[in-house]
Amino acid sequence: MNDNRPSESDKPACAGPLTNLTRRRFLASAGASAVSVTLLKSTLVDAAEANSRIDFGLVGCGARGTWIAGLFAKHGGYNVAAVADYFPDKAEAAGEKLGVPAARRFTGLSGCRKLLESKLEAVAIISPPYFHPEQAAAAVEAGKHVYLAKPVGVDVPGCQSIARSGRKATGKKQVFLVDFQTRATPAYQEVVKRVQAGEIGPIKSAEATYMCDLYFAAMDAEFRKSRRDADARLRAWAVDRVLSGDIITEQNIHALDVATWFLDAEPLKAVGTGGRARDFQGDCWDHFAVIFTYPNNVIVSFSSK
């Protein structure tokens, strides 16, 4: 579920992994690192090659979810076999665009469960972040490969749940990939390799920023006209702190993830502030200033607005 305007992360940068991912590599990869093809039974790999397409389902039929599913379909190695969304109009629109049979367009509170019960090999979970931990865990339990939108969760228990799901998927030799698209960009990969090799010397401090216009303006506009009930909150999830984790989690996480990637470490503590200056609906903030402390007393100064 998303607004009708693709977000910053809807740029073609994340098309890279899909265009380069073969069926053999998809089925032979698991968790955060690739698993060698030799770890799979040869009969499974041979069968995978014989059946040239992976049947996968889309959970979350907003603008980004439908766009991501379209990239899978365009790749040619995937068959969009089912879609699920709480809202019938979203599922129907995505189903029509992606050519999914009406009987495999699942809606309502049980939509995701019904999709996972159907005959699929993989799922792309592009729903509001609040639901990611539960849906990812259910997908892994159902034996599906998982392509999960960022952010992985909106709180500590949710993130811990995702970590458990990732480990479980790896143990079952299932793919569990989080869509941090920047990490799949060759230019970034090359720079990170050089920085971590010490070519600019030891890092003593770093700066991360995220400056942009008002994201999810369409959601804001629709929410203003609504009754502000539960359904309206869900449609406007990106301006709702509970459902999105706030802007620092839903969007700014890109910059924070890149900083963590460059430093090859996790922050030990953080202190910061923020607030809201602009007139928009919901309860999310629109500016943040945070100091993160990393190992070896490396300080990362983060700001967004």
Side-chain angles (χ1 to χ4, degrees), residues 198-217:
E199 292 192 16
I200 64 170
I203 298 177
K204 299 299 183 182
S205 65
E207 181 179 343
T209 60
Y210 198 104
M211 309 298 175
C212 60
D213 61 359
L214 179 61
Y215 276 126
F216 310 114

Side-chain angles (χ1 to χ4, degrees), residues 30-266:
S33 60
V35 176
S36 170
V37 174
T38 57
L39 294 181
L40 291 179
K41 294 181 180 179
S42 61
T43 53
L44 292 178
V45 177
D46 292 341
E49 291 298 325
N51 179 16
S52 62
R53 289 192 175 189
I54 295 171
D55 284 339
F56 92 101
L58 170 65
V59 178
C61 299
R64 182 165 178 83
T66 304
W67 180 72
I68 288 288
L71 291 179
F72 275 99
K74 184 178 180 180
H75 172 276
Y78 307 89
N79 176 45
V80 187
V83 297
D85 196 287
Y86 174 77
F87 296 105
D89 61 310
K90 297 285 188 181
E92 290 300 318
E96 285 293 324
K97 185 172 183 177
L98 298 168
V100 175
R104 306 201 77 183
R105 303 172 189 174
F106 304 108
T107 62
L109 294 174
S110 62
C112 180
R113 175 178 58 78
K114 290 179 179 178
L115 179 143
L116 293 175
E117 290 173 350
S118 61
K119 189 178 180 181
L120 298 169
E121 296 172 83
V123 293
I125 300 174
I126 321 292
S127 55
Y130 178 86
F131 302 102
H132 288 178
E134 180 180 0
Q135 291 173 344
V140 172
E141 185 65 29
K144 316 299 184 187
H145 301 290
V146 175
Y147 179 95
L148 178 66
K150 58 85 210 142
V152 297
V154 298
D155 53 25
V156 172
C159 293
Q160 291 174 333
S161 173
I162 291 294
R164 290 192 296 269
S165 292
R167 289 192 294 267
K168 187 172 183 178
T170 299
K172 298 170 68 173
K173 295 183 174 59
Q174 295 169 207
V175 173
F176 195 93
L177 174 67
V178 176
D179 178 20
F180 273 119
Q181 63 202 40
T182 310
R183 290 187 180 236
T185 305
Y188 271 89
Q189 292 172 348
E190 179 64 24
V191 172
V192 169
K193 182 175 68 174
R194 295 188 181 195
V195 169
Q196 292 181 353
E199 292 192 16
I200 64 170
I203 298 177
K204 299 299 183 182
S205 65
E207 181 179 343
T209 60
Y210 198 104
M211 309 298 175
C212 60
D213 61 359
L214 179 61
Y215 276 126
F216 310 114
M219 280 191 187
D220 176 77
E222 289 301 315
F223 194 59
R224 290 173 184 271
K225 298 184 293 185
S226 72
R227 295 179 298 173
R228 317 294 176 89
D229 57 11
D231 276 8
R233 282 185 62 194
L234 192 53
R235 285 188 183 273
W237 62 268
V239 298
D240 188 289
R241 182 177 295 170
V242 171
L243 297 175
S244 69
D246 213 319
I247 299 299
I248 193 171
T249 301
E250 213 294 318
Q251 286 294 321
N252 300 168
I253 193 64
H254 280 299
L256 295 171
D257 176 65
V258 168
T260 296
W261 183 24
F262 268 71
L263 295 174
D264 194 24
E266 299 176 357

